[in-house]
Amino acid sequence: DVKVTQSSRYLVKRTGEKVFLECVQDMDHENMFWYRQDPGLGLRLIYFSYDVKMKEKGDIPEGYSVSREKKERFSLILESASTNQTSMYLCASSKTDFLETQYFGPGTRLLVL
Amino acid sequence: KNQVEQSPQSLIILEGKNCTLQCNYTVSPFSNLRWYKQDTGRGPVSLTIMTFSENTKSNGRYTATLDADTKQSSLHITASQLSDSASYICVVSVRRGSQGNLIFGKGTKLSVKP
């Protein structure tokens, strides 16, 4: 079974703090994704990566950056957290083709005060 | 504009009853359509995937249909159980060369009551 893990289930941070969200997958998947999910808006793609050290912007990249130094690990970075970044963050991975089934982690619920 | 619309937004049914969730899409060029189930506080899990040539796919008590002509899909749940309480998300894939894009619906929140 594919396993996607995220470093924290819940996080509370203060405005202006730098926040790191970590995601690890154990199935040698090429593609990894970061989404945020807000009530009434559904899932929105922040960034994705199709290879080590490669990254592409999704639909809402502003205020975020990512890092993929190893194939199994994809990090989302909030350089200076703001209250409008309070959300549920979901990491996902897929095997090779971008359109294959994505396997999601359990999510990190981030509260920025 | 590529869009995926789901209805209803929310639904309450009694345990043991059947229900049908709807997904309409305006996406081109269509590649495939998936239904995901998301339990509260968890990540989505894939239930079914259908390509253009498939018009029905089952996974246990879940049956998805696809009408590519009308651009509609439905997810039918038979003999509902309390564990079916979740959000169900319709996702349509668009292929663009070697890459692609996923268009997410906003989901239908299903509550199954005893």
Side-chain angles (χ1 to χ4, degrees):
Chain A
D1 271 356
V2 177
K3 192 159 186 187
V4 179
T5 56
Q6 295 183 228
S7 51
S8 304
R9 292 301 305 273
Y10 302 95
L11 268 182
V12 181
K13 297 291 181 181
R14 297 216 171 267
T15 302
E17 278 192 80
K18 192 168 186 176
V19 182
F20 293 88
L21 302 182
E22 300 280 332
C23 174
V24 177
Q25 50 92 5
D26 67 357
M27 285 301 291
D28 201 34
H29 282 181
E30 302 284 338
N31 304 310
M32 296 188 75
F33 309 83
W34 274 106
Y35 296 90
R36 66 177 282 178
Q37 186 176 32
D38 301 289
L41 295 179
L43 276 86
R44 292 181 291 167
L45 181 64
I46 305 171
Y47 267 97
F48 66 95
S49 168
Y50 52 88
D51 202 352
V52 176
K53 297 192 185 294
M54 304 302 289
K55 60 185 179 184
E56 294 282 346
K57 292 179 180 179
D59 300 318
I60 51 164
E62 296 78 20
Y64 303 95
S65 62
V66 290
S67 172
R68 193 164 180 203
E69 296 296 319
K70 293 185 177 181
K71 191 175 186 179
E72 67 272 16
R73 189 179 298 270
F74 193 35
S75 303
L76 179 69
I77 303 151
L78 286 65
E79 296 289 343
S80 178
S82 63
T83 54
N84 63 13
Q85 291 179 310
T86 290
S87 186
M88 167 75 110
Y89 289 89
L90 289 160
C91 174
S93 70
S94 67
K95 197 173 181 182
T96 50
D97 191 304
F98 186 90
L99 298 182
E100 288 186 3
T101 297
Q102 294 189 7
Y103 296 85
F104 285 84
T108 295
R109 191 167 290 282
L110 174 66
L111 173 62
V112 183
L113 300 173
Chain B
K1 182 182 176 184
N2 290 326
Q3 277 188 318
V4 175
E5 301 282 346
Q6 291 188 244
S7 62
Q9 269 190 314
S10 61
L11 182 62
I12 301 173
I13 62 173
L14 291 176
E15 188 178 10
K17 298 295 187 184
N18 303 335
C19 68
T20 300
L21 314 180
Q22 298 289 345
C23 173
N24 297 338
Y25 60 93
T26 53
V27 168
S28 182
F30 174 90
S31 180
N32 58 49
L33 184 148
R34 289 182 181 83
W35 284 93
Y36 280 88
K37 178 187 179 190
Q38 184 176 22
D39 292 317
T40 302
R42 308 296 293 272
V45 175
S46 180
L47 288 175
T48 64
I49 175 172
M50 287 182 291
T51 59
F52 186 87
S53 58
E54 296 173 297
N55 50 25
T56 187
K57 187 75 71 81
S58 290
N59 179 358
R61 295 180 295 102
Y62 301 101
T63 300
T65 64
L66 174 65
D67 185 334
D69 291 330
T70 61
K71 299 188 176 182
Q72 294 180 329
S73 176
S74 64
L75 181 69
H76 186 75
I77 303 174
T78 304
S80 61
Q81 299 176 357
L82 298 179
S83 59
D84 293 329
S85 294
S87 288
Y88 292 85
I89 303 170
C90 175
V91 185
V92 180
S93 302
V94 180
R95 179 170 291 283
R96 302 224 181 275
S98 62
Q99 292 292 342
N101 199 18
L102 300 182
I103 315 297
F104 287 83
K106 293 177 182 178
T108 293
K109 185 168 183 178
L110 174 67
S111 298
V112 180
K113 302 292 185 186

